[in-house]
Amino acid sequence: MTATLLDTSKGIVEYTYKGTGPAVLLLKGGHSTRETDLSHSSLIYEGFSLLTVSRPGYDYTEVSTGKSPEIFAETIIEILDHLNIQTVKVIAISAAGPTGIALAANHPSRVSKLIMEAALTSPWEEAVKQKARVLFGPAERMVWGSLKTMLKFFPDLIMKQLISELTTEDPEEYLERLSPNDRRFIYDMLATSQSGKGFSLDIDHSVTTDISKIHVPVLGMYSQKDKSVPYTHALLLKSRAPDCEIFEVDADSHLIWIGKNAQQVWNKRLEFLSR
């Protein structure tokens, strides 16, 4: 899919826009690049147009476009204006949660619905920040280069290492239960990941926007076994957003898009978007 670069008032932003029908804005999570697909691209075959905007520090989107979620929300409005899109349904994944909240709360006339998929609603823990600064700061290119090389030769080892950060279950048992398609999902996700300058920004992005200001319908999809984004984020979202439904996903990790109930996640997303 060919990406477009837009020179906004705050800097260059990369995006893709494909399909016809009601517009859905997709904000991917941490480490995700233009090549990373967690199944959302299939929305274009369900009658939606999909606008995927690379967040600050990822792909060719410049850091200056969003040093805070609120600033990036303003940049997104510029993109919508450029494309003559009046309103969008927003999907915010994982680390994109703060941006989704800022966009829905501060620009209510441009957002009709918000889906938070395993998405952050409160600040990162300090221990997570410190670890991220070491691995995904200046050394991120070397770290990812090593991981991707090892992924080719020792896929189980690298996937197990990733899963240990994403599940409260035993990672080895988790891997053994995965179908071949689910294993391919994780492999492809890792193979297309790159932090750039983006994840260093993500860990300092905080939810400063008042969630209670979101007056559009909100759907939160979270797993009790998510180690990366604990279920407390879902509870916080439910307690503060006035019109919020929480769909508890029976998934064994942060990766709610795979596993035995992946179809339920897809169906719930479609049902909510189509209301």
Side-chain angles (χ1 to χ4, degrees):
M1 192 182 299
T2 304
T4 299
L5 301 182
L6 179 66
D7 190 3
T8 72
S9 64
K10 298 176 181 64
I12 300 294
V13 177
E14 177 178 325
Y15 71 86
T16 60
Y17 187 40
K18 188 173 182 180
T20 58
V24 175
L25 168 65
L26 177 63
L27 300 170
K28 298 180 184 179
H31 313 296
S32 296
T33 69
R34 68 178 72 86
E35 305 296 336
T36 307
D37 182 13
L38 304 181
S39 77
H40 298 82
S41 63
S42 294
L43 286 169
I44 62 176
Y45 305 112
E46 298 289 346
F48 297 97
S49 56
L50 186 64
L51 171 61
T52 305
V53 179
S54 296
R55 295 189 299 111
Y58 292 103
D59 301 321
Y60 285 121
T61 298
E62 295 178 338
V63 169
S64 59
T65 61
K67 293 186 177 180
S68 73
E70 291 75 18
I71 291 174
F72 193 56
E74 294 172 359
T75 301
I76 290 172
I77 296 301
E78 287 193 45
I79 300 172
L80 298 183
D81 289 343
H82 173 75
L83 295 172
N84 294 314
I85 299 174
Q86 294 306 307
T87 61
V88 290
K89 306 169 194 289
V90 179
I91 299 176
I93 300 172
S94 194
T99 300
I101 291 169
L103 190 59
N106 297 332
H107 305 276
S109 66
R110 309 304 294 273
V111 176
S112 60
K113 293 178 181 178
L114 172 63
I115 302 180
M116 299 278 282
E117 300 190 6
L120 289 164
T121 60
S122 60
W124 301 85
E125 294 181 1
E126 195 56 42
V128 175
K129 288 184 178 183
Q130 292 176 1
K131 185 175 182 180
R133 289 189 182 101
V134 173
L135 291 175
F136 305 115
E140 66 87 24
R141 187 172 294 275
M142 181 180 68
V143 169
W144 279 112
S146 300
L147 282 174
K148 290 176 183 179
T149 298
M150 293 184 68
L151 182 65
K152 294 177 182 178
F153 298 103
F154 309 103
D156 284 1
L157 176 64
I158 298 304
M159 287 193 287
K160 180 181 174 182
Q161 184 176 341
L162 167 73
I163 290 301
S164 67
E165 301 293 330
L166 302 181
T167 181
T168 59
E169 300 277 280
D170 179 270
E172 195 161 337
E173 293 178 4
Y174 175 94
L175 279 176
E176 290 175 357
R177 291 195 298 268
L178 291 179
S179 69
N181 284 341
D182 289 342
R183 293 172 70 88
R184 171 52 62 177
F185 178 100
I186 296 175
Y187 185 97
D188 289 346
M189 183 183 72
L190 282 168
T192 60
S193 291
Q194 193 72 45
S195 305
K197 296 179 180 178
F199 200 67
S200 293
L201 279 181
D202 287 346
I203 59 175
D204 287 325
H205 276 187
S206 183
V207 183
T208 56
T209 301
D210 185 355
I211 295 176
S212 67
K213 290 172 58 182
I214 302 176
H215 293 291
V216 300
V218 178
L219 170 64
M221 297 200 286
Y222 294 83
S223 167
Q224 290 269 16
K225 297 179 181 178
D226 187 343
K227 182 179 177 181
S228 176
V229 180
Y231 199 73
T232 51
H233 290 260
L235 300 177
L236 179 63
L237 183 65
K238 177 65 175 176
S239 68
R240 294 190 180 176
D243 183 4
C244 179
E245 174 187 1
I246 298 297
F247 180 67
E248 184 177 330
V249 183
D250 187 13
D252 291 332
S253 76
H254 181 64
L255 305 178
I256 62 173
W257 311 277
I258 61 174
K260 58 185 181 298
N261 289 301
Q263 188 62 45
Q264 290 183 13
V265 171
W266 178 254
N267 292 340
K268 186 64 181 179
R269 183 192 299 120
L270 278 183
E271 184 267 330
F272 183 77
L273 291 173
S274 302
R275 287 179 195 169

